[in-house]
Amino acid sequence: MAEPSSEDRTDSLGISWSDTVRFVRQLSHDLRNDLNAIELQSAYTAELEQNDELKSEIKRLREMISGLTSTLQRLSRAVDDVTPNLIPYRAADFMEDLRTKVDHDFPKQSTEITWDIQLQDSMMNVDPQLLQEAFTELFANAFRHNRGKGPLVARAKIDNNRLHFTLHEPKADFDLDTQNWGREPLRKISQRHYGLGLRRVRAIVEAHRGELRAQYDPKASTLITMLTLSVSGRSSKKI
């Protein structure tokens, strides 16, 4: 009888997602404590040291420690539960705020986005910060992962009391299964990216009672990400 592969043996463990989350949280917490202690020690060393060159190197060391601490904080947030604080928010205002953030976070790439926004004067009940995080992650992924030639096209419209947002990404080569889009964390890992972004997007969207889907159009060589959210009527804001 053939010996099971290491992958088979690993999969047979059947570790639950909740156990994985607890592990990531605890590991991140422990490492951040160690990094904080190192940062404090390096700050104390910098105060004692008089040599400017060495003080400069200690400063660089502290910046590296701070960067790693931030990475661990983002990792903990990526697996954390999503509990939105919902407030009334005008859909058009949200999309305008999103465009401003995308321009800020991606100053070079944002000029390559074509926006088509037709939101009328509708209201949503959302957590703007969380929801903006989800939308921004979609753009980050589009810029990061095997983007093809041509602009990104972002469309938003209201139909049947729903906000329908689609992001069209040119992709010449695409072989991923979109059926479980955002439901398979840790599948695709690279340096400083751990396959948690789409899972976080889905968690945020579903916490808002919305839906996240994706499909690939091979004829147009385009990946289309679709996000829908409920709207709650027209605002009383006068324009």
Side-chain angles (χ1 to χ4, degrees), residues 68-115:
L68 183 52
T69 300
S70 296
T71 297
L72 290 170
Q73 288 174 334
R74 289 194 298 271
L75 180 59
S76 293
R77 186 172 66 249
V79 300
D80 210 355
D81 295 332
V82 176
T83 307
N85 295 313
L86 304 179
I87 62 172
Y89 213 90
R90 190 166 174 261
D93 290 342
F94 172 80
M95 199 57 60
E96 186 61 33
D97 292 342
L98 174 65
R99 292 185 63 170
T100 299
K101 181 169 177 56
V102 170
D103 288 343
H104 176 270
D105 290 357
F106 312 102
K108 294 181 180 179
Q109 301 98 319
S110 63
T111 59
E112 302 168 14
I113 303 173
T114 298
W115 296 86

Side-chain angles (χ1 to χ4, degrees), residues 101-196:
K101 181 169 177 56
V102 170
D103 288 343
H104 176 270
D105 290 357
F106 312 102
K108 294 181 180 179
Q109 301 98 319
S110 63
T111 59
E112 302 168 14
I113 303 173
T114 298
W115 296 86
D116 180 11
I117 309 300
Q118 301 177 37
L119 294 181
Q120 306 166 18
D121 192 25
S122 301
M123 294 293 295
M124 305 186 295
N125 286 313
V126 299
D127 184 319
Q129 185 173 354
L130 273 178
L131 199 57
Q132 193 175 88
E133 176 189 338
F135 276 83
T136 305
E137 178 67 20
L138 295 180
F139 283 98
N141 282 344
F143 291 131
R144 185 185 304 124
H145 298 303
N146 302 321
R147 183 183 163 205
K149 294 182 179 180
L152 301 182
V153 179
R155 295 193 174 105
K157 66 178 182 178
I158 302 295
D159 186 32
N160 292 327
N161 293 322
R162 303 282 283 177
L163 183 154
H164 297 265
F165 175 85
T166 58
L167 182 62
H168 299 246
E169 308 172 35
K171 287 188 183 294
D173 298 312
F174 187 84
D175 58 1
L176 298 178
D177 182 9
T178 58
Q179 185 175 357
N180 291 314
W181 203 243
R183 292 191 178 94
E184 298 177 319
L186 309 177
R187 287 288 182 181
K188 191 171 183 179
I189 296 177
S190 60
Q191 187 176 17
R192 297 189 184 280
H193 300 285
Y194 309 108
L196 294 168

